[in-house]
Amino acid sequence: MDPILAQLSSTLPAARSLEQLTRPLLEMLRVATGLESTYLTEIDLAADRQQVRYARNAGAMTIPEGLSVPWGDTLCKRALDEGRMATSDVVDCWGDSEAARALGIQTYVSAPVRGGEGQLLGTLCAASADRRQIGDEAAAMLQLFSGLVAGFIERERLVEHLQAANARLLSYAMRDTLTGLPNRRALYDELQRLLAQAQRDGRSVLVGMVDLDGFKAINDRHGHQSGDLFLQQAGQRLTASLRAGDMLGRLGGDEFLLVGPGPALPTDNGGGPVVEAGEAPQAALTLQQRCTEATLGRYRLDTAELDYAGASVGVLALDPAGLTVEDAVRLADACMYRVKHQRRQRASAAPA
């Protein structure tokens, strides 16, 4: 027992995962019990399944890792139900177990692995095809080991819960609460990434600003709830019009920003930040037209239906060299306002 405890004292501090803890424990348990196979199972009571997670086999009988059997047919369940920890005559005690018969188990010992609230997580077991007596020391060691495994599983689950909670918090921090779209922070982070990537690859970046013309009038006439629905629906329509690598988000109010990778830079771009040669200008114009058309049409609001004439959208292809995120957004904003001005001019020139 002392050599095993000495090994345990070095195993525990070094374990960084459940596997790193369990595999040495299974070897120690094999030495302590003298049984051929030692293994850790996990139990899914809802699915009525027990699965072998890790196993150590040192004889003719083999308990394969990944083996999954109905929980109701297992020796583990029978042992728990009867309060019997060990037997050296499985056939006499539980001869109706098909799993035990298939594996040829004759001697068996197990301890439940329970969570902090008593829930059954799995079992730590040892088994053999021949008959052996299980001493009190071996049984006590099995119970000690099952407690250590349970504590490690609980710790892993706590870490997973914390990581998931942190991921949710980060997601909330990067999302606009009304539309569910990326917010300013997420957009600027993505634009920064795109600019850096495009500079390495010799490509342009497409940056566009979208302003929902007449939004204040919609709010004033139909109410803020209808205005919120309009923003949500406009965001959904715009998102559906984008390419796979594009990102659309809400900057605030009725303004949306879209960013995405652009075509390769031309050999001679003239030195300005706006790409005016090659394929990039047409790519920007195509995306601008697609987004404009996406916002056109009828919107079903809270208490009314609205025929909307479309948003003002300005999209540019930009050279990433020396360009900051703020510069890129400012250029796209200026482009959008030029489009807005042209739309107003056309509207005022149209016959009554």
Side-chain angles (χ1 to χ4, degrees):
M1 177 73 77
D2 288 344
I4 293 177
L5 292 178
Q7 185 180 353
L8 180 63
S9 66
S10 62
T11 297
L12 286 177
R16 294 293 179 266
S17 68
L18 180 61
E19 182 174 7
Q20 289 178 356
L21 172 72
T22 303
R23 293 204 184 279
L25 292 186
L26 293 179
E27 172 58 23
M28 292 180 229
L29 190 59
R30 184 194 67 78
V31 173
T33 62
L35 301 185
E36 295 174 89
S37 297
T38 52
Y39 51 100
L40 173 68
T41 78
E42 56 186 354
I43 299 167
D44 186 341
L45 294 177
D48 190 40
R49 303 298 295 181
Q50 181 182 38
Q51 184 175 34
V52 177
R53 189 162 180 181
Y54 305 114
R56 172 72 170 85
N57 296 291
M61 190 186 74
T62 299
I63 305 293
E65 290 185 0
L67 175 68
S68 178
V69 295
W71 168 238
D73 185 47
T74 62
L75 298 183
C76 298
K77 185 176 188 305
R78 287 168 170 78
L80 285 173
D81 289 345
E82 296 180 14
R84 182 196 294 266
M85 186 176 182
T87 180
S88 58
D89 193 349
V90 168
V91 174
D92 184 56
C93 287
W94 303 309
D96 60 329
S97 172
E98 293 182 8
R101 188 162 52 251
L103 292 168
I105 298 175
Q106 188 63 256
T107 302
Y108 169 82
V109 58
S110 73
V113 177
R114 296 189 182 276
E117 298 180 358
Q119 70 274 28
L120 184 63
L121 304 176
T123 56
L124 188 61
C125 314
S128 189
D130 56 2
R131 293 188 177 185
R132 290 177 178 269
Q133 292 297 321
I134 304 300
D136 292 341
E137 284 190 350
M141 182 168 293
L142 181 67
Q143 291 177 317
L144 170 64
F145 288 179
S146 70
L148 294 175
V149 170
F152 210 97
I153 292 175
E154 289 282 276
R155 189 178 76 180
E156 280 196 341
R157 291 187 174 186
L158 177 60
V159 171
E160 289 173 1
H161 291 327
L162 289 174
Q163 290 173 338
N166 286 336
R168 288 193 298 271
L169 287 174
L170 180 59
S171 176
Y172 295 148
M174 304 290 276
R175 290 281 166 181
D176 173 58
T177 55
L178 176 63
T179 63
L181 294 171
N183 60 16
R184 180 186 297 267
R185 175 183 172 186
L187 286 164
Y188 278 36
D189 285 352
E190 175 64 7
L191 181 51
Q192 183 66 60
R193 186 193 69 79
L194 284 170
L195 289 171
Q197 183 67 49
Q199 187 158 5
R200 289 193 295 269
D201 297 344
R203 304 182 68 85
S204 61
V205 175
L206 301 185
V207 183
M209 187 71 73
V210 181
D211 186 88
L212 299 178
D213 295 338
F215 176 67
K216 184 177 184 302
I218 295 171
N219 258 345
D220 292 344
R221 181 175 180 181
H222 301 289
H224 289 285
Q225 186 168 340
S226 291
D228 288 348
L229 288 172
F230 176 67
L231 287 172
Q232 291 168 347
Q233 292 177 35
Q236 291 165 2
R237 294 186 185 198
L238 285 164
T239 299
S241 72
L242 300 181
R243 307 165 302 169
D246 298 332
M247 175 187 282
L248 174 83
R250 183 182 176 213
L251 290 180
D254 60 350
E255 287 191 333
F256 295 79
L257 180 70
L258 62 94
V259 299
L265 292 169
T267 304
D268 182 12
N269 184 43
V274 179
V275 183
E276 298 178 346
E279 299 177 3
Q282 184 57 50
L285 180 60
T286 299
L287 184 56
Q288 177 174 304
Q289 292 171 340
R290 195 161 62 240
C291 289
T292 302
E293 291 169 2
T295 61
L296 290 167
R298 175 158 293 193
Y299 290 74
R300 297 182 182 275
L301 306 181
D302 186 38
T303 58
E305 291 191 357
L306 172 70
D307 288 318
Y308 187 62
S312 291
V313 182
V315 181
L316 293 172
L318 300 176
D319 185 335
L323 196 66
T324 68
V325 168
E326 291 74 15
D327 290 338
V329 173
R330 185 168 57 253
L331 288 166
D333 194 48
C335 179
M336 180 273 294
Y337 272 104
R338 286 194 297 272
V339 171
K340 184 187 290 287
H341 180 67
Q342 293 167 1
R343 284 163 57 89
R344 286 174 178 170
Q345 285 184 320
R346 287 195 297 267
S348 61

